[in-house]
């Protein structure tokens, strides 16, 4: 009984994946942007589709604005003489979670993110904070790529 339910769910998920890919391939702009995002090490099919669906502003706003929009920009909590720790907050939680998960393989396989991550860790930054910083860096790279309509080039980014 449970296997039948799982098979049904898996079949429905496969059908949804086919429908999503079909919708992306129908529009030339979406298809081109999807392929552009997928070329970046660390960005898989789920991350690319999530960015297309939940972040239409990608490539249309500044790096600071896109980071704040997603919620990976550190904001100060200062008041008078008190200086609080910078924290990320707000933004689009679905995109932020997806970007965090995409940053994990990017920290291993993307040469730019890997170098950045290793430098942060050597400098004493905690691993989770370093991944969040990598998420922001990855997002700003993707934003610039889409804005300038450039392909992934690890040595020049």
């Amino acid at each position: 009984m449970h296997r039948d339910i799982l098979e049904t769910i898996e079949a429905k998920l496969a059908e949804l994946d086919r429908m999503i890919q079909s919708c992306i391939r129908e529009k030339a702009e979406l298809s081109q942007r999807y392929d552009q995002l997928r070329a970046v090490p660390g960005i898989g099919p789920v991350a690319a589709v999530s960015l297309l669906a939940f972040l239409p502003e990608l490539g249309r706003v500044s790096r600071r604005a896109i980071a704040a929009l997603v919620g990976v920009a550190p904001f100060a909590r200062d008041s008078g003489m008190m200086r609080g720790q910078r924290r990320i907050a707000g933004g689009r939680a679905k995109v932020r979670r997806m970007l965090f998960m995409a940053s994990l393989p990017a920290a291993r396989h993307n040469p730019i993110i890997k170098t950045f991550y290793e430098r942060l860790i050597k400098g004493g930054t905690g691993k989770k904070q370093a991944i969040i910083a990598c998420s922001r860096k990855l997002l700003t790279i993707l934003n610039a790529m889409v804005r300038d309509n450039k392909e992934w080039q690890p040595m020049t980014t």
Side-chain angles (χ1 to χ4, degrees), residues 88-107:
I88 63 167
R92 297 181 184 164
K94 287 180 183 180
V95 179
R96 186 173 55 251
R97 285 191 298 262
M98 175 278 310
L99 204 55
F100 183 88
M101 294 306 292
S103 295
L104 294 171

